[in-house]
């Protein structure tokens, strides 16, 4: 297995702040918890928490996230302005997609709201947590889990819907190489966020969800329709067969067909 350490990630990293401080755990419950704790103690912006393996990895909607040794599990502490919050998911998704394409040479697709797929199977999930005080963001944490050097046959419970870079390439990759590229891409996008227009466009262009018939599970509701567009706040516009439109802020999408 390739070697992962804080020093290997930070040494000569071409960023101003993201990844300049790395907290590494050989094993931890969840990097989200550790990053939240770091944020509460006012750790420098861009602090990255990495775990070689997580024992209680958190997915969206209170699901568990499998992160055995060989995968990438990291969380990044940011202190964004409230106007930047909707764009964090977009810039994290685009940064992961660009990094996988650059380092592994594999084509990726984005599935609303925050999955990165390869050939239709999930290779990465992203979780964003934040705390607000009034209209001030006290902290935000971007959590990223990428299936890198794991063999999906060892995880039959998700092998139908998930893939790994190892399975796609047939060889191991340097997790340090992927993480370093990811941190550089993330910082570049974060620093050039401006009014969010560019990142919104790239995110929207990369979404395979748009124009497709989908089923969306949002809380207790199951909705069907055509995923017509996404708004700049990240929400999904769903057109129902009766012509009505729903605005979906959070949910899980299943693509119904290719048409
Ligand atoms: C999802 O698709 O449900 C989101 C998965 C997010 C997983 C990452 S792994 C690093 C960070 N720590 C966690 O416990 N979760 C996120």
């Amino acid at each position: 297995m390739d070697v992962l350490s804080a020093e290997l990630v930070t040494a000569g990293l071409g960023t101003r702040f993201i990844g300049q401080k790395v907290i590494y755990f050989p094993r931890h419950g969840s990097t989200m918890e550790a990053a939240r704790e770091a944020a509460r103690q006012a750790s420098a912006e861009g602090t990255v928490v990495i775990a070689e393996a997580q024992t209680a990895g958190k997915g969206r909607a209170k699901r568990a996230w499998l992160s055995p040794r060989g995968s990438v599990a990291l969380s990044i502490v940011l202190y964004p302005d409230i106007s930047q919050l909707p764009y964090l998911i977009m810039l994290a998704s685009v940064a992961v997609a660009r990094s996988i394409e650059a380092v592994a040479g594999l084509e990726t697709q984005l599935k609303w709201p925050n999955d990165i797929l390869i050939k239709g199977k999930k290779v990465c999930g992203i979780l964003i947590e934040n705390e607000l005080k009034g209209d001030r963001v006290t902290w935000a944490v971007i959590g990223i889990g990428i299936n890198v050097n794991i063999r999906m046959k060892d995880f039959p419970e998700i092998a139908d819907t998930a893939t790994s870079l190892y399975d796609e390439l047939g060889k191991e990759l340097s997790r340090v190489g992927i993480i370093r590229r990811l941190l550089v891409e993330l910082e570049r996008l974060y620093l050039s966020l401006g009014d969010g227009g560019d990142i919104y466009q790239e995110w929207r262009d990369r979404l395979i969800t748009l124009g497709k018939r989908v089923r969306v599970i949002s809380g207790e509701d199951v909705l069907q329709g055509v995923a017509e567009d996404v708004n700049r706040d990240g929400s999904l516009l769903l057109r129902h067969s009766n012509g009505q439109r729903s605005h979906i802020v959070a949910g899980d999408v299943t693509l119904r067909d290719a048409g």
Side-chain angles (χ1 to χ4, degrees):
M1 184 74 68
D2 61 320
V3 182
L4 189 53
S5 72
E7 293 69 33
L8 287 172
V9 171
T10 49
L13 184 69
T15 61
R16 280 194 229 161
F17 59 100
I18 295 188
Q20 291 301 322
K21 176 174 176 187
V22 171
I23 303 168
Y24 169 83
F25 295 100
R27 199 178 165 82
H28 198 277
S30 162
T31 57
M32 296 309 280
E33 313 299 335
R36 187 191 309 149
E37 201 41 51
R40 288 198 174 128
Q41 289 174 13
S43 193
E45 178 159 50
T47 297
V48 178
V49 179
I50 301 178
E52 183 84 40
Q54 295 185 121
T55 51
K58 285 170 62 177
R60 286 192 313 117
K62 301 205 166 92
R63 284 188 291 254
W65 178 260
L66 202 69
S67 27
R69 198 160 166 264
S71 56
V72 161
L74 60 81
S75 296
I76 303 150
V77 176
L78 296 175
Y79 303 110
D81 186 77
I82 194 156
S83 63
Q84 298 175 313
L85 267 190
Y87 302 112
L88 296 187
I89 189 61
M90 303 180 196
L91 64 86
S93 304
V94 167
V96 170
R98 286 187 186 176
S99 308
I100 291 178
E101 287 163 6
V103 176
L106 292 164
E107 206 178 299
T108 60
Q109 303 105 28
L110 303 187
K111 186 170 87 134
W112 186 89
N114 59 358
D115 291 347
I116 288 94
L117 315 180
I118 295 177
K119 295 191 206 125
K121 287 185 164 189
K122 182 159 169 170
V123 71
C124 168
I126 299 171
L127 183 66
I128 305 218
E129 294 181 346
N130 56 65
E131 185 182 81
L132 299 176
K133 284 222 170 89
D135 57 6
R136 201 173 65 82
V137 182
T138 45
W139 51 262
V141 169
I142 301 180
I144 299 176
I146 313 177
N147 301 332
V148 182
N149 295 329
I150 61 177
R151 286 128 177 93
M152 298 318 297
K153 68 171 170 47
D154 295 337
F155 305 96
E157 63 278 25
I158 54 166
D160 281 351
T161 53
T163 189
S164 67
L165 298 181
Y166 177 86
D167 276 19
E168 296 300 325
L169 285 176
K171 63 169 188 191
E172 290 201 351
L173 282 177
S174 152
R175 283 171 297 162
V176 167
I178 294 180
I179 293 170
R180 285 168 63 94
R181 180 68 187 233
L182 175 62
L183 300 179
V184 168
E185 291 286 353
L186 259 176
E187 183 176 281
R188 199 179 292 159
L189 291 169
Y190 187 56
L191 288 176
S192 62
L193 198 51
D195 70 355
D198 288 352
I199 192 64
Y200 164 69
Q201 270 318 328
E202 181 167 349
W203 179 67
R204 185 171 178 267
D205 288 349
R206 285 175 174 270
L207 282 173
I208 49 158
T209 321
L210 299 188
K212 302 255 170 70
R213 273 170 28 85
V214 296
R215 199 172 101 154
V216 187
I217 300 176
S218 178
E220 302 282 280
D221 301 326
V222 181
L223 303 158
Q224 305 221 32
V226 174
E228 218 168 58
D229 206 351
V230 280
N231 293 313
R232 282 184 67 136
D233 63 5
S235 61
L236 180 72
L237 267 177
L238 192 68
R239 169 83 64 182
H240 301 281
S241 50
N242 63 7
Q244 286 189 335
R245 295 208 299 186
S246 305
H247 221 108
I248 302 163
V249 176
D252 281 311
V253 164
T254 314
L255 304 179
R256 306 277 300 164
D257 58 31

